[in-house]
Amino acid sequence: DAGVIQSPRHEVTEMGQEVTLRCKPISGHDYLFWYRQTMMRGLELLIYFNNNVPIDDSGMPEDRFSAKMPNASFSTLKIQPSEPRDSAVYFCASSPRTRSRTDTQYFGPGTRLTVL
Amino acid sequence: RKEVEQDPGPFNVPEGATVAFNCTYSNSASQSFFWYRQDCRKEPKLLMSVYSSGNEDGRFTAQLNRASQYISLLIRDSKLSDSATYLCVVNLRTGGFKTIFGAGTRLFVKA
């Protein structure tokens, strides 16, 4: 089975440009998460979806960030306009709906974003 | 105070050593607990879930103490391939679903 797929793997852009990150979750998973990882702040949850509906976006840093999930197999995270402090690795993860205690999240390989 | 705190490390140990990592969490609504492993420039991957009764997977043992809000991971007979960052993860279910990652503990196993 394919895991979580993210694209692009690397993105270098200039300040002020729009950046769109893409994610394809594991088929059948009901939850999708977007995280950001930096050396200073570690791994931070930005937003998560359940059955394509955004449930909690309290981790989104500011209005420049937006996320969508138009269907069960695709999600985007958009930054407009981008700033140098947005430079980080952005991970997408998915999780199956489960009645057990083990709400395991499966991470994609990440997108390494550099904003110059 | 951070919601999930870990030993910062790094831990430098020789092959074959036993090493233990600790993690504390502050929210009593925490319901499920995990250890993830992250290799350099890679994504986090689940190492093991942590149950109240304690659980073991080969050389790895995880324990949970709900009263003290404390989680531990013990690695026996360390291998070079165990070198990585170990992330303590807590899931809260308070109406929604909130996952909190610790900052991670770096482990270097040397020959």
Side-chain angles (χ1 to χ4, degrees):
Chain A
D1 275 344
V4 175
I5 299 172
Q6 290 187 248
S7 65
R9 295 291 306 275
H10 301 272
E11 177 81 29
V12 180
T13 190
E14 293 187 346
M15 182 173 63
Q17 296 298 305
E18 177 179 295
V19 175
T20 299
L21 311 181
R22 297 173 177 79
C23 175
K24 177 179 168 53
I26 294 173
S27 177
H29 283 192
D30 292 337
Y31 289 90
L32 183 140
F33 307 84
W34 281 101
Y35 290 89
R36 177 173 69 176
Q37 187 172 38
T38 61
M39 289 293 292
M40 291 296 294
R41 300 176 67 89
L43 200 60
E44 303 173 282
L45 176 64
L46 301 177
I47 185 172
Y48 80 90
F49 296 81
N50 180 20
N51 291 322
N52 313 338
V53 177
I55 302 300
D56 185 351
D57 65 355
S58 60
M60 296 285 260
E62 46 196 277
D63 292 346
R64 298 184 297 106
F65 286 69
S66 63
K68 294 182 179 180
M69 192 165 186
N71 58 61
S73 59
F74 183 66
S75 177
T76 59
L77 178 68
K78 186 175 293 187
I79 309 172
Q80 166 62 16
S82 58
E83 295 182 3
R85 59 192 168 120
D86 301 331
S87 298
V89 180
Y90 290 81
F91 288 106
C92 175
S94 70
S95 180
R97 178 168 58 91
T98 175
R99 297 189 183 279
S100 78
R101 295 176 290 173
T102 55
D103 304 320
T104 306
Q105 295 185 30
Y106 299 84
F107 283 75
T111 295
R112 187 171 296 275
L113 173 65
T114 302
V115 183
L116 303 175
Chain B
R1 183 186 173 188
K2 292 182 180 178
E3 292 190 85
V4 177
E5 295 201 66
Q6 294 186 241
D7 288 345
F11 286 65
N12 294 285
V13 302
E15 274 189 292
T18 296
V19 61
F21 304 141
N22 304 317
C23 172
T24 57
Y25 60 95
S26 59
N27 194 321
S28 58
S30 301
Q31 293 202 358
S32 52
F33 310 88
F34 310 87
W35 285 100
Y36 277 68
R37 168 191 171 133
Q38 187 172 23
D39 292 297
C40 187
R41 302 180 75 85
K42 297 286 189 180
E43 72 273 20
K45 292 184 179 179
L46 178 69
L47 178 65
M48 58 197 304
S49 303
V50 187
Y51 303 125
S52 296
S53 55
N55 47 301
E56 189 174 307
D57 183 1
R59 298 182 293 108
F60 299 83
T61 300
Q63 299 219 318
L64 167 65
N65 184 321
R66 284 188 182 272
S68 302
Q69 298 186 181
Y70 172 97
I71 306 160
S72 66
L73 177 68
L74 183 76
I75 306 175
R76 292 181 299 279
D77 189 22
S78 301
K79 311 293 184 190
L80 294 176
S81 58
D82 294 334
S83 297
T85 297
Y86 291 83
L87 303 167
C88 175
V89 183
V90 171
N91 275 354
L92 307 180
R93 283 197 178 271
T94 52
F97 185 139
K98 186 175 180 182
T99 300
I100 304 170
F101 281 76
T105 300
R106 296 196 71 184
L107 171 66
F108 295 100
V109 181
K110 300 181 178 180

